[in-house]
Amino acid sequence: MRIAVYPGSFDPITNGHLDILERSLKLFDKVIVAVLVNTSKSCLFQAERRKEMISKVVGRKNHITVGSFGGLLVDYCKQVEARTIIRGLRAVSDYEYELQISSINKQLAPDLETVFLMASTQYSFLSSSIVKEIAKLGGNVSALVPKEVEIALKMEFSKNS
Ligand code: ADP
């Protein structure tokens, strides 16, 4: 069974993430969406909430699991018996960071491969940060995120205003 881990902050999950997830399902038997906990990044949504939103959006499917990890990604991959890490690449700006992370992971776990999928054109400028910025300013994010996320963002920002 070809198992892959798709790791990220997913703060929150966007249509760009979902596009990568859908496309990766054509390549792997099972994909584990792994939410990063304990990041130095300050997140809008708690990890549990991010996980909950992803689970709601993807629904119950045998070949998708939603998990979380707080330690090294390579250790998490070993634990869930995944041999591949999936990452999405948007602009050149993603490349340097991704190259660094994938090289380190290769050193830590030589058997683990990182597979990069290029962002689809319509999502190549989409990020969780831009979605949060638009939502914070009261803009319409319905074309950028699933309905559940749109509602969660509205609630989050109305709470703070
Ligand atoms: P991280 O904080 O680890 O970068 P993100 O949640 O921002 O996590 O993204 C997770 C992965 O999804 C990364 O590989 C990122 O490049 C990719 N990604 C994010 N947005 C998009 C998008 N619009 N299209 C394709 N890939 C994306």
Side-chain angles (χ1 to χ4, degrees), residues 6-12 14-17 19-20 23 36 39 41 86-90 94 97-98 116-120 123-128:
Y6 179 30
S9 311
F10 303 107
D11 183 45
T14 69
N15 290 344
H17 293 129
D19 178 59
I20 295 288
R23 287 161 55 202
L36 177 60
T39 163
K41 272 189 188 174
I86 298 161
R87 294 287 287 175
L89 274 185
R90 285 160 295 184
D94 279 342
Y97 173 72
E98 295 295 342
F116 295 99
L117 296 184
M118 298 307 293
S120 295
Y123 301 127
S124 59
F125 294 100
L126 179 55
S127 67
S128 299

Side-chain angles (χ1 to χ4, degrees), residues 137-157:
L137 299 172
N140 182 355
V141 293
S142 60
L144 310 176
V145 294
K147 195 76 198 160
E148 287 84 350
V149 174
E150 189 189 348
I151 295 168
L153 282 165
K154 265 198 191 127
M155 280 172 62
E156 198 59 33
F157 287 118

